[in-house]
Structure formats: C-alpha cells, structure tokens
Amino acid sequence: MSHEGSCHCGAIVVTIEDDPVEASECNCSICRRTGALWTYAPPARVAVNGEGIGYVHGDRVLTLVHCPTCGVITHWSAIDPDYDRMGINLRLFDPQLWEALPRKLVDGASW
Ligand SMILES: [Zn+2]
C-alpha cells in the first residue's frame, strides 16, 4: 500500500510505495540539526511532486531537499545516478505510519 506525506505547507507531496520497516535517526552534522527521521527506498518506489530546494554539503554524495516555502526537509537523493537508494523524511507522514517503528541510530557523524 502506498503512503502519502507532505511538507507543512503542502507544496511538496511525497508518495512511497512500500511500508517503512524502521525509522533511522542520523547524527551527522545536518541531520542532528534538522531532526529528520529517515526511511530508505529505491527512487523508482518514490514519487516527489513539487519543487524543492537542494542543498549539497561537504562530501557531495547527496542532495538534501527542503521546501522553499515552509522549510521542511522532505528527502535526499544521491548525486550518483547509479546509487539505487534515496532517503525520505518520515516526519512528513501520518505519525501512525512511523511512531511505533524500531528506531535505528545511524552514525553518520563517523563516516
Ligand atoms: Zn512546504
């Protein structure tokens, strides 16, 4: 079953085709500031509607996208087109979808 989430103002709508199985919290320099809770999926299983602003930092492996109007972080996508994984911020979705999922701590700060 697919799930639809959006940023706060609704300008960006993200649809995921698969049920998330865990919620990842990352301690890297960006994630610890934004508080996003990540699930990961192949880009083919995710639809993003709406125009976000991309932010590429330090190691230039991914683009972090946020809404230009409300500022909510919606997802990240890999800069390498062959990398078959993207991250979706679970906080865009109804809490019932992710509240009870096992939390996984990702040690992005050490990468
Ligand atoms: Zn927005």
Side-chain angles (χ1 to χ4, degrees):
M1 193 183 111
S2 68
H3 305 280
E4 191 177 284
S6 70
C7 65
H8 191 259
C9 73
I12 301 178
V13 175
V14 179
T15 307
I16 54 176
E17 293 299 329
D18 306 303
D19 293 338
V21 293
E22 58 186 19
S24 296
E25 191 179 329
C26 175
N27 64 355
C28 83
S29 59
I30 291 182
C31 293
R32 72 180 163 85
R33 289 175 165 86
T34 63
L37 213 47
W38 301 109
T39 186
Y40 309 102
R45 306 288 293 163
V46 181
V48 178
N49 288 296
E51 209 55 50
I53 292 178
Y55 175 59
V56 180
H57 68 297
D59 44 14
R60 304 191 69 81
V61 291
L62 56 86
T63 305
L64 191 66
V65 180
H66 69 270
C67 173
T69 303
C70 68
V72 168
I73 302 268
T74 53
H75 65 288
W76 60 258
S77 54
I79 288 171
D80 177 355
D82 293 331
Y83 189 73
D84 195 32
R85 197 161 113 119
M86 64 182 283
I88 304 99
N89 187 0
L90 282 171
R91 295 193 189 275
L92 308 185
F93 297 82
D94 189 321
Q96 280 186 349
L97 181 66
W98 51 266
E99 254 171 359
L101 293 180
R103 296 291 174 103
K104 187 178 170 192
L105 286 175
V106 178
D107 189 17
S110 304
W111 291 354

XYZ file of all heavy atoms in Angstrom:
851
model
N 0.844 -1.187 0.000
C 0.000 0.000 0.000
C 0.886 1.246 0.000
O 1.875 1.319 0.707
C -0.869 -0.018 1.258
C -2.000 0.992 1.217
S -2.923 0.954 2.781
C -2.488 2.537 3.456
N 0.528 2.224 -0.799
C 1.343 3.434 -0.837
C 0.906 4.417 0.245
O -0.217 4.356 0.751
C 1.259 4.091 -2.213
O -0.024 4.605 -2.424
N 1.822 5.284 0.606
C 1.561 6.274 1.648
C 1.961 7.645 1.128
O 2.969 7.781 0.439
C 2.376 5.956 2.896
C 2.160 4.579 3.411
N 1.076 4.227 4.168
C 2.877 3.446 3.232
C 1.139 2.935 4.459
N 2.221 2.432 3.900
N 1.137 8.626 1.491
C 1.406 9.977 1.027
C 1.718 10.888 2.205
O 1.020 10.876 3.217
C 0.169 10.493 0.277
C 0.401 11.780 -0.482
C -0.844 12.203 -1.253
O -1.111 11.588 -2.313
O -1.544 13.114 -0.794
N 2.789 11.660 2.037
C 3.144 12.638 3.057
C 3.418 13.967 2.388
O 3.549 14.044 1.168
N 3.507 15.022 3.178
C 3.792 16.324 2.579
C 4.552 17.201 3.556
O 4.579 16.949 4.763
C 2.499 17.032 2.170
O 1.791 17.435 3.328
N 5.148 18.259 2.998
C 5.762 19.263 3.853
C 4.642 20.029 4.569
O 3.462 19.797 4.311
C 6.645 20.205 3.033
S 5.728 21.208 1.851
N 5.010 20.960 5.424
C 3.984 21.611 6.235
C 2.994 22.409 5.400
O 1.790 22.388 5.656
C 4.637 22.520 7.283
C 3.680 23.015 8.307
N 3.148 24.278 8.274
C 3.127 22.389 9.367
C 2.304 24.417 9.291
N 2.281 23.278 9.968
N 3.472 23.123 4.380
C 2.568 23.964 3.587
C 1.891 23.182 2.472
O 0.962 23.687 1.838
C 3.322 25.167 3.022
S 4.443 24.771 1.673
N 2.354 21.969 2.204
C 1.701 21.129 1.198
C 2.236 21.307 -0.211
O 1.732 20.680 -1.150
N 3.246 22.151 -0.388
C 3.779 22.388 -1.734
C 4.496 21.158 -2.287
O 4.563 20.960 -3.499
C 4.724 23.585 -1.723
N 5.054 20.354 -1.395
C 5.751 19.143 -1.822
C 5.052 17.929 -1.230
O 4.836 17.850 -0.013
C 7.232 19.162 -1.383
C 7.933 20.382 -1.992
C 7.936 17.871 -1.799
C 9.386 20.521 -1.597
N 4.672 17.020 -2.108
C 3.994 15.802 -1.685
C 4.875 14.616 -2.066
O 5.344 14.520 -3.198
C 2.605 15.676 -2.352
C 1.946 14.345 -1.996
C 1.715 16.849 -1.939
N 5.119 13.756 -1.099
C 5.970 12.590 -1.330
C 5.118 11.332 -1.137
O 4.426 11.195 -0.129
C 7.170 12.575 -0.364
C 8.025 11.342 -0.596
C 8.000 13.843 -0.515
N 5.180 10.441 -2.116
C 4.447 9.183 -2.032
C 5.436 8.031 -2.033
O 6.314 7.963 -2.908
C 3.481 9.037 -3.223
O 2.662 10.206 -3.294
C 2.588 7.814 -3.069
N 5.313 7.155 -1.036
C 6.171 5.972 -1.002
C 5.301 4.741 -1.259
O 4.157 4.668 -0.813
C 6.942 5.837 0.337
C 6.001 5.882 1.553
C 7.984 6.942 0.461
C 6.707 5.651 2.886
N 5.857 3.804 -1.994
C 5.082 2.623 -2.392
C 5.148 1.496 -1.363
O 4.320 0.585 -1.392
C 5.577 2.094 -3.743
C 5.310 3.041 -4.906
C 3.816 3.300 -5.109
O 3.004 2.410 -4.818
O 3.479 4.425 -5.535
N 6.148 1.541 -0.504
C 6.346 0.436 0.430
C 6.202 0.902 1.874
O 6.488 2.051 2.196
C 7.739 -0.162 0.232
C 7.963 -0.564 -1.219
O 7.158 -1.369 -1.723
O 8.906 -0.062 -1.837
N 5.790 -0.012 2.732
C 5.695 0.297 4.152
C 7.098 0.437 4.736
O 7.931 -0.444 4.558
C 4.985 -0.845 4.902
C 3.526 -0.962 4.511
O 2.963 0.036 4.019
O 2.956 -2.051 4.702
N 7.341 1.514 5.457
C 8.642 1.616 6.126
C 8.744 0.567 7.223
O 7.749 0.222 7.863
C 8.646 3.027 6.696
C 7.228 3.443 6.757
C 6.482 2.667 5.714
N 9.952 0.033 7.438
C 10.135 -1.004 8.461
C 10.931 -0.522 9.659
O 10.900 -1.124 10.727
C 10.793 -2.274 7.873
C 9.829 -2.946 6.898
C 12.109 -1.959 7.181
N 11.660 0.575 9.472
C 12.340 1.164 10.614
C 12.523 2.649 10.357
O 12.408 3.129 9.235
C 13.678 0.476 10.907
C 14.645 0.498 9.762
C 15.902 -0.320 10.044
O 15.890 -1.176 10.950
O 16.898 -0.105 9.355
N 12.784 3.378 11.437
C 12.960 4.820 11.349
C 14.379 5.145 11.784
O 14.770 4.860 12.909
C 11.955 5.525 12.248
N 15.150 5.716 10.870
C 16.560 5.963 11.154
C 16.808 7.410 11.542
O 16.366 8.336 10.874
C 17.405 5.629 9.932
O 17.304 4.255 9.639
N 17.523 7.545 12.640
C 17.910 8.858 13.106
C 19.419 8.945 12.940
O 20.139 8.052 13.371
C 17.520 8.999 14.577
C 17.642 10.396 15.093
C 17.213 10.481 16.556
O 16.340 9.701 16.973
O 17.780 11.311 17.263
N 19.883 9.998 12.299
C 21.300 10.117 11.979
C 21.916 11.261 12.775
O 21.275 12.280 13.007
C 21.430 10.344 10.473
S 23.105 10.650 9.923
N 23.164 11.055 13.177
C 23.825 12.067 13.999
C 24.825 12.910 13.211
O 25.696 13.551 13.780
C 24.516 11.405 15.198
C 25.641 10.479 14.765
O 25.850 10.260 13.572
N 26.364 9.918 15.717
N 24.721 12.888 11.878
C 25.656 13.687 11.087
C 25.365 15.170 11.286
O 24.370 15.560 11.888
C 25.601 13.310 9.609
S 24.265 14.120 8.704
N 26.229 16.013 10.749
C 26.155 17.444 11.051
C 24.837 18.076 10.609
O 24.365 19.024 11.224
C 27.345 18.162 10.406
O 27.336 17.955 9.002
N 24.245 17.555 9.534
C 22.960 18.133 9.094
C 21.798 17.504 9.844
O 20.939 18.206 10.390
C 22.754 17.935 7.576
C 23.737 18.793 6.810
C 21.321 18.305 7.192
C 23.590 18.697 5.325
N 21.790 16.181 9.902
C 20.626 15.505 10.498
C 20.441 15.841 11.977
O 19.321 15.942 12.457
C 20.739 14.003 10.319
S 20.619 13.490 8.601
N 21.535 16.034 12.671
C 21.365 16.341 14.091
C 20.731 17.717 14.272
O 20.142 18.017 15.304
C 22.682 16.210 14.849
C 23.707 17.299 14.588
C 24.975 17.029 15.411
N 26.118 17.778 14.948
C 26.403 19.044 15.323
N 25.587 19.687 16.118
N 27.473 19.647 14.854
N 20.850 18.555 13.249
C 20.222 19.873 13.322
C 18.779 19.864 12.848
O 17.952 20.636 13.344
C 21.012 20.873 12.476
C 22.361 21.239 13.073
C 23.147 22.140 12.124
N 24.270 22.792 12.785
C 25.484 22.269 12.929
N 25.732 21.070 12.460
N 26.445 22.922 13.541
N 18.485 19.043 11.855
C 17.135 19.095 11.275
C 16.159 18.161 11.982
O 14.956 18.379 11.922
C 17.163 18.713 9.787
O 17.615 17.357 9.685
C 18.084 19.616 9.002
N 16.679 17.097 12.586
C 15.796 16.177 13.292
C 14.965 15.286 12.388
O 13.945 14.754 12.809
N 15.406 15.110 11.146
C 14.661 14.231 10.245
C 14.746 12.781 10.725
O 15.703 12.390 11.390
C 15.223 14.330 8.833
N 13.728 12.030 10.383
C 13.674 10.612 10.701
C 13.567 9.899 9.348
O 12.609 10.110 8.612
C 12.429 10.359 11.543
C 12.404 9.292 12.616
C 13.622 9.323 13.513
C 11.130 9.473 13.433
N 14.561 9.070 9.038
C 14.671 8.582 7.660
C 14.164 7.166 7.448
O 14.339 6.290 8.289
C 16.134 8.615 7.211
C 16.756 9.959 7.249
C 17.716 10.401 8.117
C 16.469 11.068 6.389
N 18.025 11.712 7.834
C 17.285 12.140 6.790
C 15.583 11.249 5.310
C 17.252 13.391 6.159
C 15.557 12.485 4.687
C 16.384 13.540 5.107
N 13.558 6.978 6.281
C 13.378 5.646 5.742
C 14.043 5.693 4.374
O 14.240 6.771 3.808
C 11.890 5.244 5.627
O 11.815 3.865 5.227
C 11.134 6.083 4.610
N 14.428 4.527 3.864
C 15.168 4.498 2.610
C 14.439 3.632 1.599
O 13.799 2.644 1.952
C 16.585 3.955 2.846
C 17.290 4.662 3.973
C 17.402 4.073 5.231
C 17.814 5.941 3.791
C 18.030 4.735 6.277
C 18.437 6.610 4.838
C 18.546 6.001 6.078
O 19.150 6.661 7.113
N 14.515 4.025 0.329
C 13.830 3.263 -0.712
C 14.500 3.521 -2.055
O 15.135 4.566 -2.248
C 12.365 3.683 -0.778
N 14.340 2.582 -3.000
C 14.827 2.857 -4.353
C 14.000 4.014 -4.934
O 12.788 4.067 -4.722
C 14.539 1.557 -5.118
C 14.264 0.522 -4.073
C 13.732 1.249 -2.879
N 14.652 4.932 -5.661
C 13.920 6.075 -6.218
C 12.698 5.678 -7.058
O 11.718 6.434 -7.116
C 14.977 6.783 -7.080
C 16.277 6.436 -6.428
C 16.094 5.037 -5.887
N 12.745 4.500 -7.670
C 11.615 4.065 -8.502
C 10.358 3.801 -7.669
O 9.252 3.730 -8.216
C 11.993 2.812 -9.287
N 10.514 3.637 -6.372
C 9.386 3.356 -5.489
C 8.879 4.610 -4.771
O 8.068 4.528 -3.847
C 9.781 2.312 -4.426
C 10.368 1.034 -4.999
C 9.348 0.179 -5.688
N 8.366 -0.371 -4.760
C 7.189 -0.889 -5.139
N 6.851 -0.903 -6.416
N 6.354 -1.387 -4.244
N 9.402 5.763 -5.181
C 9.058 7.018 -4.512
C 8.678 8.059 -5.553
O 9.314 8.159 -6.605
C 10.265 7.552 -3.696
C 9.912 8.846 -2.963
C 10.764 6.493 -2.709
N 7.618 8.805 -5.296
C 7.253 9.918 -6.173
C 7.305 11.208 -5.365
O 6.778 11.279 -4.257
C 5.854 9.712 -6.736
N 7.998 12.196 -5.926
C 8.062 13.517 -5.278
C 7.388 14.512 -6.210
O 7.788 14.671 -7.360
C 9.527 13.945 -5.027
C 9.568 15.339 -4.394
C 10.244 12.933 -4.130
N 6.348 15.161 -5.722
C 5.669 16.176 -6.516
C 5.839 17.529 -5.856
O 5.519 17.703 -4.686
C 4.179 15.836 -6.659
C 3.979 14.655 -7.592
O 4.290 14.721 -8.768
N 3.507 13.551 -7.036
N 6.342 18.465 -6.624
C 6.598 19.796 -6.089
C 8.074 20.102 -6.200
O 8.904 19.194 -6.263
N 8.378 21.373 -6.236
C 9.748 21.802 -6.467
C 10.430 22.193 -5.167
O 10.032 23.151 -4.519
C 9.716 22.994 -7.441
C 10.948 23.129 -8.305
C 11.281 21.878 -9.089
O 10.381 21.324 -9.764
O 12.439 21.438 -9.003
N 11.448 21.426 -4.786
C 12.179 21.747 -3.570
C 13.499 22.433 -3.884
O 13.881 22.558 -5.047
N 14.174 22.855 -2.854
C 15.498 23.450 -2.990
C 16.513 22.430 -2.493
O 16.347 21.857 -1.415
C 15.605 24.747 -2.160
C 14.696 25.814 -2.762
C 17.061 25.242 -2.103
C 14.692 27.116 -1.978
N 17.533 22.201 -3.305
C 18.538 21.213 -2.947
C 19.717 21.841 -2.229
O 20.117 22.964 -2.543
N 20.252 21.103 -1.288
C 21.439 21.551 -0.563
C 22.466 20.428 -0.620
O 22.191 19.306 -0.185
C 21.061 21.880 0.883
C 22.235 22.233 1.771
C 23.063 23.314 1.464
C 22.505 21.505 2.916
C 24.137 23.645 2.273
C 23.566 21.834 3.739
C 24.390 22.897 3.410
O 25.440 23.212 4.225
N 23.619 20.734 -1.208
C 24.689 19.747 -1.296
C 25.788 20.184 -0.342
O 26.229 21.324 -0.384
C 25.250 19.678 -2.732
C 26.368 18.652 -2.815
C 24.138 19.331 -3.713
N 26.196 19.282 0.543
C 27.199 19.683 1.516
C 28.481 18.888 1.343
O 28.563 18.007 0.488
C 26.644 19.560 2.935
C 26.401 18.146 3.357
N 25.506 17.345 2.740
C 26.967 17.394 4.320
C 25.511 16.153 3.322
N 26.389 16.154 4.272
N 29.449 19.224 2.149
C 30.783 18.640 2.223
C 31.190 17.612 1.192
O 31.801 17.940 0.187
N 30.831 16.355 1.422
C 31.376 15.275 0.601
C 30.667 15.105 -0.749
O 31.032 14.274 -1.546
C 31.350 13.960 1.389
C 30.042 13.753 2.140
O 29.066 14.480 1.837
O 29.989 12.886 3.014
N 29.623 15.881 -0.991
C 28.939 15.916 -2.290
C 28.438 14.548 -2.749
O 28.544 14.209 -3.923
C 29.856 16.501 -3.360
C 30.374 17.895 -3.012
C 31.059 18.549 -4.197
N 30.126 18.900 -5.249
C 29.361 19.992 -5.236
N 29.402 20.819 -4.232
N 28.552 20.240 -6.221
N 27.894 13.761 -1.837
C 27.330 12.481 -2.265
C 25.816 12.539 -2.356
O 25.196 11.724 -3.036
C 27.740 11.310 -1.349
C 29.223 11.011 -1.505
C 27.393 11.564 0.086
N 25.208 13.499 -1.698
C 23.760 13.564 -1.787
C 23.254 14.999 -1.745
O 23.945 15.916 -1.318
C 23.108 12.726 -0.679
C 23.449 13.011 0.781
C 22.563 14.095 1.342
C 23.275 11.742 1.590
N 22.039 15.138 -2.248
C 21.356 16.423 -2.222
C 20.230 16.335 -1.210
O 19.358 15.455 -1.316
C 20.764 16.751 -3.609
O 21.801 16.681 -4.579
C 20.139 18.142 -3.630
N 20.249 17.231 -0.262
C 19.198 17.270 0.746
C 18.182 18.316 0.274
O 18.556 19.437 -0.037
C 19.820 17.672 2.077
C 18.988 17.537 3.340
C 18.693 16.067 3.627
C 19.738 18.145 4.519
N 16.915 17.913 0.215
C 15.915 18.793 -0.380
C 14.929 19.298 0.673
O 14.443 18.522 1.499
C 15.146 18.056 -1.510
C 14.089 18.966 -2.131
C 16.122 17.562 -2.565
N 14.668 20.595 0.615
C 13.669 21.171 1.514
C 12.702 22.057 0.742
O 12.984 22.512 -0.368
C 14.326 21.949 2.662
C 14.998 23.219 2.218
N 16.310 23.258 1.821
C 14.532 24.482 2.114
C 16.616 24.512 1.497
N 15.563 25.276 1.664
N 11.570 22.319 1.341
C 10.551 23.155 0.717
C 10.952 24.629 0.790
O 11.339 25.107 1.852
C 9.217 22.937 1.424
S 7.931 24.078 0.873
N 10.857 25.354 -0.329
C 11.249 26.766 -0.315
C 10.287 27.634 0.502
O 10.648 28.723 0.931
C 11.212 27.169 -1.795
C 10.304 26.182 -2.439
C 10.436 24.906 -1.656
N 9.096 27.160 0.729
C 8.115 27.976 1.445
C 8.135 27.716 2.948
O 8.305 28.637 3.741
C 6.700 27.707 0.894
O 6.713 27.979 -0.504
C 5.668 28.589 1.576
N 7.998 26.469 3.343
C 7.899 26.198 4.787
C 9.193 25.673 5.384
O 9.317 25.587 6.606
C 6.748 25.235 5.068
S 6.997 23.574 4.449
N 10.161 25.315 4.538
C 11.466 24.930 5.038
C 11.614 23.484 5.485
O 12.694 23.077 5.892
N 10.554 22.714 5.416
C 10.618 21.325 5.889
C 11.502 20.484 4.960
O 11.398 20.565 3.736
C 9.191 20.720 5.976
C 9.235 19.213 6.187
C 8.409 21.393 7.092
N 12.387 19.688 5.562
C 13.231 18.752 4.808
C 12.350 17.591 4.341
O 11.697 16.945 5.167
C 14.336 18.190 5.714
C 15.194 19.316 6.289
C 15.154 17.119 4.992
C 16.403 19.680 5.510
N 12.339 17.347 3.054
C 11.453 16.300 2.539
C 12.174 14.985 2.224
O 11.641 13.915 2.502
C 10.722 16.784 1.267
O 11.694 17.267 0.329
C 9.722 17.878 1.613
N 13.353 15.077 1.628
C 14.057 13.850 1.231
C 15.496 14.185 0.867
O 15.882 15.353 0.792
C 13.363 13.189 0.037
C 13.386 14.003 -1.227
N 12.628 15.139 -1.398
C 14.114 13.863 -2.367
C 12.870 15.645 -2.598
N 13.769 14.902 -3.214
N 16.267 13.136 0.622
C 17.566 13.335 -0.022
C 17.662 12.379 -1.189
O 17.022 11.318 -1.200
C 18.744 13.181 0.948
C 18.916 11.857 1.650
C 18.579 11.573 2.942
C 19.495 10.653 1.117
N 18.904 10.281 3.235
C 19.471 9.690 2.138
C 20.041 10.305 -0.129
C 19.946 8.377 1.950
C 20.513 9.005 -0.314
C 20.472 8.064 0.722
N 18.428 12.785 -2.187
C 18.687 11.879 -3.298
C 20.179 11.858 -3.565
O 20.900 12.835 -3.304
C 17.907 12.315 -4.543
O 18.178 13.651 -4.833
N 20.644 10.718 -4.051
C 22.071 10.544 -4.308
C 22.456 11.310 -5.563
O 21.678 11.391 -6.523
C 22.397 9.067 -4.468
N 23.650 11.878 -5.568
C 24.136 12.566 -6.754
C 24.551 11.550 -7.820
O 24.348 11.767 -9.002
C 25.294 13.514 -6.363
C 24.680 14.691 -5.582
C 26.052 13.999 -7.594
C 25.673 15.608 -4.950
N 25.084 10.413 -7.373
C 25.424 9.330 -8.299
C 24.130 8.666 -8.789
O 23.398 8.062 -8.007
C 26.285 8.298 -7.547
C 26.632 7.095 -8.414
O 26.140 7.010 -9.567
O 27.381 6.238 -7.931
N 23.827 8.781 -10.105
C 22.555 8.248 -10.604
C 22.452 6.722 -10.487
O 21.351 6.157 -10.583
C 22.523 8.690 -12.078
C 23.936 9.012 -12.426
C 24.631 9.401 -11.155
N 23.594 6.041 -10.292
C 23.565 4.581 -10.165
C 23.303 4.111 -8.738
O 23.153 2.914 -8.497
C 24.888 3.981 -10.649
C 25.081 4.179 -12.145
O 24.056 4.247 -12.862
O 26.236 4.284 -12.587
N 23.265 5.043 -7.815
C 23.028 4.671 -6.419
C 21.528 4.534 -6.218
O 20.782 5.511 -6.266
C 23.604 5.750 -5.498
C 23.609 5.369 -4.042
C 24.506 4.436 -3.549
C 22.710 5.955 -3.155
C 24.519 4.092 -2.208
C 22.709 5.611 -1.802
C 23.614 4.684 -1.344
O 23.622 4.343 -0.011
N 21.074 3.289 -6.036
C 19.643 2.991 -6.087
C 18.960 3.140 -4.723
O 18.265 2.228 -4.272
C 19.437 1.585 -6.646
C 17.986 1.359 -7.066
O 17.339 2.334 -7.489
O 17.511 0.215 -6.960
N 19.165 4.272 -4.096
C 18.585 4.466 -2.786
C 18.428 5.958 -2.543
O 19.279 6.753 -2.923
C 19.530 3.862 -1.746
C 18.942 3.608 -0.400
C 19.853 2.610 0.306
N 20.518 3.224 1.441
C 20.365 2.805 2.702
N 19.592 1.768 2.966
N 20.996 3.380 3.678
N 17.321 6.309 -1.948
C 17.141 7.681 -1.515
C 16.563 7.663 -0.111
O 16.121 6.621 0.375
C 16.242 8.465 -2.480
C 14.815 7.969 -2.561
S 13.821 8.882 -3.761
C 13.495 10.409 -2.845
N 16.592 8.805 0.549
C 16.068 8.879 1.896
C 14.819 9.749 1.915
O 14.751 10.772 1.226
N 13.836 9.326 2.672
C 12.583 10.062 2.779
C 12.356 10.387 4.252
O 12.498 9.513 5.113
C 11.392 9.228 2.238
C 11.650 8.788 0.792
C 10.088 10.020 2.326
C 12.164 7.382 0.652
N 12.006 11.626 4.523
C 11.765 12.051 5.897
C 10.392 11.550 6.364
O 9.346 12.032 5.913
C 11.832 13.581 5.979
C 11.767 14.075 7.406
O 11.669 13.299 8.357
N 11.830 15.391 7.556
N 10.418 10.596 7.286
C 9.161 10.001 7.750
C 8.266 11.014 8.454
O 7.057 10.808 8.575
C 9.463 8.842 8.706
C 9.892 7.541 8.031
C 10.380 6.561 9.098
C 8.749 6.932 7.226
N 8.839 12.098 8.908
C 8.039 13.076 9.632
C 7.024 13.801 8.750
O 6.163 14.511 9.244
C 8.947 14.082 10.336
C 9.784 13.443 11.425
C 10.418 14.472 12.313
N 11.382 13.908 13.224
C 11.069 13.365 14.414
N 9.810 13.310 14.798
N 12.001 12.872 15.190
N 7.122 13.587 7.429
C 6.117 14.163 6.527
C 4.808 13.398 6.606
O 3.769 13.874 6.154
C 6.579 14.090 5.061
C 7.950 14.624 4.668
C 8.091 14.553 3.167
C 8.142 16.030 5.154
N 4.892 12.172 7.136
C 3.760 11.252 7.058
C 2.996 11.201 8.385
O 3.512 11.622 9.428
C 4.265 9.844 6.702
C 4.919 9.784 5.354
C 6.243 10.175 5.195
C 4.212 9.367 4.232
C 6.854 10.155 3.946
C 4.808 9.340 2.982
C 6.131 9.730 2.842
N 1.813 10.669 8.311
C 0.994 10.470 9.500
C 1.816 9.693 10.538
O 2.387 8.654 10.224
C -0.246 9.654 9.095
C -1.265 9.587 10.215
O -0.867 9.466 11.391
O -2.462 9.640 9.903
N 1.875 10.211 11.759
C 2.686 9.537 12.784
C 2.317 8.064 12.971
O 3.167 7.261 13.367
C 2.402 10.338 14.052
C 2.046 11.701 13.559
C 1.330 11.481 12.246
N 1.095 7.697 12.680
C 0.705 6.285 12.820
C 1.564 5.370 11.954
O 1.725 4.193 12.248
C -0.769 6.102 12.440
C -1.695 6.513 13.558
C -3.143 6.207 13.252
O -3.481 5.869 12.113
N -3.995 6.324 14.247
N 2.097 5.935 10.885
C 2.911 5.127 9.974
C 4.281 4.795 10.576
O 4.846 3.748 10.278
C 3.095 5.888 8.653
C 3.905 5.188 7.561
C 3.175 3.956 7.061
C 4.213 6.142 6.420
N 4.819 5.683 11.426
C 6.208 5.509 11.833
C 6.486 5.541 13.336
O 7.547 5.118 13.782
C 7.102 6.548 11.131
C 6.634 7.970 11.252
C 5.852 8.631 10.336
C 6.875 8.896 12.307
N 5.615 9.917 10.783
C 6.230 10.105 11.983
C 7.601 8.816 13.508
C 6.266 11.221 12.806
C 7.641 9.928 14.341
C 6.978 11.118 13.980
N 5.508 6.038 14.107
C 5.708 6.181 15.551
C 6.223 4.916 16.235
O 7.104 4.960 17.083
C 4.363 6.517 16.201
C 4.242 7.924 16.629
C 2.818 8.254 17.060
O 1.913 7.385 17.014
O 2.624 9.393 17.446
N 5.621 3.795 15.880
C 5.922 2.554 16.588
C 7.050 1.756 15.945
O 7.395 0.680 16.416
C 4.654 1.701 16.653
N 7.631 2.273 14.872
C 8.704 1.532 14.205
C 9.949 1.499 15.077
O 10.208 2.434 15.832
C 9.066 2.199 12.872
C 8.024 2.175 11.760
C 8.588 2.883 10.537
C 7.626 0.756 11.422
N 10.737 0.429 14.936
C 12.015 0.411 15.650
C 12.894 1.568 15.180
O 12.956 1.853 13.993
C 12.624 -0.940 15.280
C 11.769 -1.534 14.236
C 10.494 -0.774 14.153
N 13.522 2.230 16.135
C 14.426 3.331 15.807
C 15.820 2.774 15.598
O 16.275 1.928 16.364
C 14.462 4.360 16.933
C 13.151 5.067 17.183
C 12.805 6.002 16.040
N 11.462 6.551 16.248
C 11.225 7.786 16.681
N 12.212 8.584 16.923
N 9.979 8.207 16.854
N 16.442 3.286 14.555
C 17.804 2.862 14.284
C 18.690 4.096 14.332
O 18.380 5.102 13.699
C 17.856 2.219 12.904
C 19.172 1.601 12.577
C 19.119 0.945 11.211
C 20.514 0.537 10.778
N 20.534 0.158 9.364
N 19.754 4.023 15.075
C 20.678 5.148 15.119
C 21.746 4.957 14.054
O 22.443 3.954 14.032
C 21.310 5.266 16.503
C 20.371 5.805 17.583
C 21.052 5.763 18.941
C 19.906 7.218 17.263
N 21.826 5.910 13.140
C 22.821 5.860 12.084
C 23.961 6.793 12.482
O 23.741 7.970 12.752
C 22.213 6.324 10.744
C 23.261 6.330 9.647
C 21.040 5.426 10.360
N 25.155 6.246 12.516
C 26.294 7.027 12.981
C 26.944 7.793 11.830
O 28.117 7.609 11.522
C 27.294 6.104 13.671
C 28.396 6.875 14.375
O 28.224 8.096 14.605
O 29.434 6.268 14.680
N 26.161 8.663 11.207
C 26.663 9.428 10.069
C 27.818 10.348 10.428
O 28.632 10.706 9.576
N 27.910 10.730 11.682
C 28.979 11.632 12.112
C 30.350 10.985 11.964
O 31.360 11.670 11.835
C 28.755 12.048 13.562
N 30.398 9.661 11.973
C 31.679 8.960 11.895
C 32.067 8.545 10.479
O 33.116 7.951 10.282
C 31.639 7.703 12.779
O 31.312 8.045 14.093
N 31.230 8.813 9.500
C 31.552 8.371 8.147
C 32.683 9.175 7.543
O 32.785 10.361 7.763
C 30.312 8.473 7.250
C 29.273 7.465 7.622
C 29.395 6.454 8.547
C 27.931 7.381 7.130
N 28.226 5.760 8.632
C 27.307 6.287 7.792
C 27.206 8.109 6.185
C 25.999 5.923 7.531
C 25.912 7.740 5.941
C 25.305 6.662 6.603
Zn 6.276 23.479 2.308
